[in-house]
Amino acid sequence: DVIEAEGMRRARALVKEAPMRLLVADVSAGQVPSLAGLLNLISGDKIAAAAALEATDANAGGEGDPLDGALLVLNKIDALPPGTSPPRVSGVPFENQFAISCETGQGLDTLLAALEARVRALVEGEGAGETALVTRARHREHLEQAVGALERFARLDGVMVDLAAEELRIAAQEVGKVTGRVHVEEMLDIIFRDFCIGK
């Protein structure tokens, strides 16, 4: 379907521009995704994925990250047989893989710490030592709402997964309002409310 293909193309273009990416995989059956499958998921281009995989194989044992810094979240480890080691994807740096259980909360503290470190690095300019300055009251309000949602998410501590997901959605939506990714209806509401058009 042409519309679905265009939607996927646009989504992949946004993924390439994203300052932080999470890939979430269900590992409850004891299988991890292949590196080739992950590369294809990110690029949407099997040829580019194969080239990246060849480059990874050529650099085996060396430095580098074929997922270009994306965090790989291996979820549902609570469904694995007792005593099973957390699964890992070969070729992806260990520090970018997080085995978690949203059901029990296992591993979430490590993932949240990594997310916090990544966000701090983005906000502080990769160690520039400067704190981001929010100069608009509207931006501050949205960022405070996002922080509140993230704090509520952290307090849920792996219980009530549906509420935790909603808090993450709210946080992302509030940050989107600051970065310029907002829905048209919201913009119209702001324009009519703040600029009194039509009065």
Side-chain angles (χ1 to χ4, degrees), residues 72-187:
L72 180 57
V73 180
L74 303 166
N75 190 25
K76 298 189 180 181
I77 61 170
D78 57 292
L80 296 172
T84 304
S85 297
R88 298 292 175 191
V89 176
S90 178
V92 177
F94 182 81
E95 64 272 9
N96 289 352
Q97 297 187 55
F98 299 88
I100 69 162
S101 168
C102 286
E103 182 74 25
T104 66
Q106 182 182 355
L108 284 178
D109 52 344
T110 307
L111 174 60
L112 289 174
L115 288 171
E116 180 181 353
R118 291 276 179 109
V119 170
R120 282 189 192 282
L122 287 170
V123 170
E124 294 174 357
E126 297 283 328
E130 296 181 20
T131 306
L133 178 64
V134 180
T135 58
R136 293 184 150 189
R138 183 177 68 81
H139 289 176
R140 179 174 299 283
E141 180 183 320
H142 290 305
L143 292 173
E144 286 172 353
Q145 293 293 327
V147 167
L150 290 172
E151 287 172 345
R152 289 189 299 275
F153 170 82
R155 281 194 303 267
L156 288 170
D157 196 28
V159 296
M160 301 176 74
V161 175
D162 53 340
L163 289 178
E166 178 63 14
E167 293 299 346
L168 286 177
R169 187 193 65 76
I170 290 169
Q173 194 173 38
E174 292 298 327
V175 170
K177 291 176 183 177
V178 174
T179 61
R181 295 186 175 136
V182 255
H183 297 286
V184 174
E185 290 113 22
E186 293 176 53
M187 285 304 292

Side-chain angles (χ1 to χ4, degrees), residues 4 12 17 20 25 31 34 37 41 50 58 68 94 122 126 137 165 170:
E4 184 176 343
R12 285 194 173 102
E17 295 174 16
M20 185 173 8
Q31 296 178 332
S34 69
L41 179 67
D68 194 26
F94 182 81
L122 287 170
E126 297 283 328
I170 290 169

